[in-house]
Amino acid sequence: MDQPITGFHLDEEGHWVARLACGHHQHVRHDPPWQLRPWVTTHAGRDAALGRTLACRKCDQGAPRDSPAR
């Protein structure tokens, strides 16, 4: 199920995580050549991604909301 991005935070290892409108979190790594997301590496890129949708597998599985980001 596609969900809009509402914000971002860093995890314990310094990787960017998108907060989705559904209450789930999803990593959005820029890890070439497997994942090409250069927009996540800059503040302006992350700001521009707000509202963009990501497929949320946790919604598809009926998972409960994630804990709020620290």
Side-chain angles (χ1 to χ4, degrees):
M1 176 181 303
D2 288 345
Q3 295 289 342
I5 298 171
T6 61
F8 295 92
H9 66 271
L10 288 170
D11 71 5
E12 304 82 32
E13 297 177 3
H15 297 285
W16 285 106
V17 179
R19 291 187 304 269
L20 305 177
C22 59
H24 293 129
H25 302 161
Q26 183 174 319
H27 279 94
V28 286
R29 294 179 180 96
H30 176 55
D31 188 21
W34 299 280
Q35 296 170 328
L36 299 176
R37 296 181 176 138
W39 55 266
V40 79
T41 63
T42 67
H43 183 75
R46 291 186 302 277
D47 278 352
L50 294 174
R52 185 182 300 171
T53 60
L54 293 175
C56 182
R57 288 186 221 152
K58 291 179 182 179
C59 278
D60 293 341
Q61 297 168 351
R65 296 171 65 98
D66 289 322
S67 299
R70 293 184 249 172

